[in-house]
Amino acid sequence: MRFTAMNRGQSGKMAMAAAALSVGLLALTGCGYVNAQQTSHQYAASDGTRADVGPVQLRNMLIVSAGENQPGRVIGAVYNSSSKDVKVTFKGAEGAQTEVPVKQNSYTLLNQSTDAATLSTTGGKPGTVVDVQVTEDGTNVNKTVKIPVVDGTLKEYAAYLPGGTPSESATPSQTATPGETATPSESATATPTAGH
């Protein structure tokens, strides 16, 4: 083996290159340490909220209303993972309530239902979050869920304002056929998002 001696300039360049490489590696690994991986956290990637009430899973839930004391339409997806049909009741402010039937192992998209789930009083101005008690009658589990209120300012929601014009894309309530398995998906959006 033959070793050649490095002059002082060459060894300095090697040391600087090694230092730069180690700083770069520290910066890359430090990002993963400081910032949590987004794929390991579940969150509602939409304007709406999500919650689980017994075997019922609510996804992308919103209330569309013109004002606090005005009627509000509940939109979003309601999944029923149980082996029997259930009725899901939404109770809002001042005794306002609406019921939604959901078949066993299936789902209902409230924004596509021709029988709108409407609360007689929203109980909050658009831009606020209201408490809604959600109950499913299969196991009688109930939970208070915070649901955002939006108005028709964004065109994605204008068609859902109670008393507004029906959506062009509205179709009867979708449910999974007996051979299908309806499972909640974080990537499935039941309501349009506003450029988020």
Side-chain angles (χ1 to χ4, degrees):
M1 273 181 137
R2 184 175 164 201
F3 293 100
T4 58
M6 284 193 224
N7 66 28
R8 193 175 261 211
Q10 289 174 327
S11 64
K13 287 180 185 177
M14 291 290 281
M16 286 177 57
L21 181 61
S22 63
V23 168
L25 288 174
L26 283 173
L28 288 175
T29 57
C31 289
Y33 178 74
V34 174
N35 298 322
Q37 291 179 331
Q38 289 303 313
T39 55
S40 63
H41 297 285
Q42 291 186 6
Y43 64 98
S46 71
D47 293 336
T49 191
R50 60 175 291 206
D52 295 338
V53 183
V56 171
Q57 294 133 8
L58 309 174
R59 298 296 183 258
N60 302 323
M61 302 305 292
L62 289 170
I63 298 174
V64 184
S65 177
E68 182 175 5
N69 298 316
Q70 300 294 316
R73 181 172 176 181
V74 181
I75 62 173
V78 182
Y79 296 89
N80 174 12
S81 63
S82 73
S83 58
K84 61 182 178 178
D85 297 354
V86 298
K87 276 188 190 166
V88 179
T89 305
F90 297 89
K91 290 182 185 176
E94 300 177 23
Q97 78 175 44
T98 186
E99 287 186 347
V100 176
V102 187
K103 300 256 183 228
Q104 63 181 355
N105 294 311
S106 187
Y107 63 94
T108 298
L109 300 178
L110 300 180
N111 53 316
Q112 293 185 352
S113 176
T114 54
D115 186 18
T118 304
L119 297 169
S120 58
T121 300
T122 302
K125 296 176 184 174
T128 63
V129 176
V130 295
D131 288 337
V132 176
Q133 185 179 16
V134 181
T135 307
E136 60 84 21
D137 69 351
T139 58
N140 286 324
V141 172
N142 67 63
K143 181 178 188 177
T144 300
V145 178
K146 294 187 177 300
I147 301 180
V149 179
V150 297
D151 59 15
T153 303
L154 297 174
K155 65 180 181 178
E156 291 87 356
Y157 303 121
Y160 301 115
L161 276 170
T165 57
S167 171
E168 297 169 4
S169 63
T171 57
S173 175
Q174 294 184 356
T175 56
T177 58
E180 291 181 275
T181 304
T183 57
S185 168
E186 293 311 310
S187 63
T189 54
T191 60
T193 58
H196 295 301

